[in-house]
Amino acid sequence: MKLHLKIKRFNPEIDKKPYWGEYDIEVDEMDRVLDALQEVKWTVDGTLALRRSCAHGICGSDAMRINGRNRLACKCLIKDEIKNGQITVEPILGLKVQKDMIVDMEPFFAHYRSVLPFLVNKDPLPENGRERLQTIADRERFDDTTKCILCACCTTSCPSFWARGEYVGPAAIVQAHRFIFDSRDQAAQERLEVLSEVDGVWRCRTVFNCTDACPRGIEVTKAIGEVKAALRTGIIA
Ligand code: SF4
Ligand code: F3S
Ligand code: FES
């Protein structure tokens, strides 16, 4: 089938402002949007810049706005996205465009680092010397937020983040949630202090764009609500 692909192009080294690149290519309806972008890059215009690695929804590197919604290009089938023979593709919002689909991810990862996204436990290792055991229920408590692949679809779909890039953003809160509710961890209070600051969880206005955008199906807004509740009540349960 024929596809008219509109791609927002911008190379700050030579372009004064972004413009729409328009490409007519042959695709299979079961191809992914990533396949179409690669077809353009490999056969029409090799200067098109985008990130991708696994091509199977695991690495999180090809987040972009597809028909106005944040998605992973490798998880979107052409048949589900095409409208009147056309698909539009733009870079995610709220982060500086370096070239075409490639944005500067450093502010996103700075927010991620700010919530201590690793297990903290200063107790000596258990007798068996291997594992800190927990019950199935304790493990289940934070299971949903372990699925995050740090793609930034959530944070860059959030109006609060667009308005103020200092907002820590839903992805960092999801990562904090993953450790705050882990019975083996001992740094929940430090993370909650970061998240109680002016650019922490209270910037979330419960818009739900993040939940809609998450390619892993994580209940992002629910996780944010649980962190807010822990801050309000002082109870981590
Ligand atoms: Fe991506 Fe979902 Fe993680 Fe956000 S919570 S970074 S949308 S995987
Ligand atoms: Fe933004 Fe999600 Fe909250 S879109 S406002 S972080 S519910
Ligand atoms: Fe890895 Fe899409 S290329 S998630």
Side-chain angles (χ1 to χ4, degrees):
M1 67 191 293
K2 291 194 183 310
L3 169 67
H4 184 70
L5 196 54
K6 276 183 76 175
I7 307 175
K8 191 170 267 187
R9 304 288 309 267
F10 182 51
N11 178 352
E13 289 180 6
I14 52 176
D15 301 321
K16 287 205 170 64
K17 56 181 187 181
Y19 65 94
W20 288 105
E22 311 220 12
Y23 309 91
D24 290 298
I25 53 172
E26 278 292 326
V27 292
D28 188 288
E29 65 165 12
M30 293 304 288
D31 284 347
R32 290 90 42 91
V33 173
L34 179 62
D35 298 313
L37 290 165
Q38 293 187 147
E39 176 70 12
V40 170
K41 182 170 177 66
W42 292 339
T43 67
V44 184
D45 183 349
T47 67
L48 177 64
L50 67 146
R51 288 193 181 103
R52 50 99 181 87
S53 181
C54 69
H56 288 86
I58 299 299
C59 71
S61 61
D62 61 339
M64 51 191 80
R65 269 169 87 79
I66 298 174
N67 290 339
R69 297 188 309 174
N70 278 12
R71 295 288 182 262
L72 295 179
C74 66
K75 285 196 77 175
C76 290
L77 295 179
I78 304 265
K79 75 176 179 60
D80 296 332
E81 298 297 333
I82 192 163
K83 287 181 191 73
N84 300 323
Q86 177 174 303
I87 295 175
T88 62
V89 178
E90 303 163 70
I92 47 179
L93 299 177
L95 296 169
K96 191 166 176 250
V97 175
Q98 294 177 318
K99 191 179 178 196
D100 299 333
M101 293 308 112
I102 297 181
V103 297
D104 178 7
M105 294 290 284
E106 182 45 35
F108 174 81
F109 284 113
H111 289 316
Y112 167 63
R113 289 192 295 270
S114 75
V115 299
L116 311 180
F118 43 82
L119 193 89
V120 178
N121 187 322
K122 300 199 168 121
D123 290 345
L125 279 174
E127 288 284 294
N128 67 17
R130 291 184 307 184
E131 293 177 79
R132 300 185 194 280
L133 300 178
Q134 63 186 166
T135 65
I136 290 172
D138 284 344
R139 174 61 182 75
E140 183 64 27
R141 178 66 189 87
F142 59 92
D143 188 66
D144 198 34
T145 46
T146 63
K147 298 176 197 152
C148 177
I149 54 172
L150 290 171
C151 65
C153 279
C154 55
T155 296
T156 60
S157 69
C158 173
S160 294
F161 181 72
W162 298 338
R164 186 170 165 82
E166 290 85 353
Y167 168 39
V168 69
I173 302 170
V174 160
Q175 289 291 327
H177 178 286
R178 183 256 169 269
F179 293 102
I180 287 169
F181 294 96
D182 186 332
S183 60
R184 300 164 301 179
D185 185 83
Q186 298 173 336
Q189 289 310 329
E190 287 170 56
R191 294 188 192 92
L192 288 172
E193 267 167 42
V194 173
L195 293 173
S196 68
E197 285 170 9
V198 64
D199 289 311
V201 283
W202 306 113
R203 291 245 168 236
C204 167
R205 301 290 192 264
T206 325
V207 173
F208 275 90
N209 281 9
C210 51
T211 301
D212 173 65
C214 181
R216 302 288 291 167
I218 297 169
E219 293 186 273
V220 180
T221 311
K222 181 174 175 221
I224 295 171
E226 290 174 357
V227 173
K228 285 178 178 172
L231 272 171
R232 252 195 314 265
T233 62
I235 299 168
I236 299 168

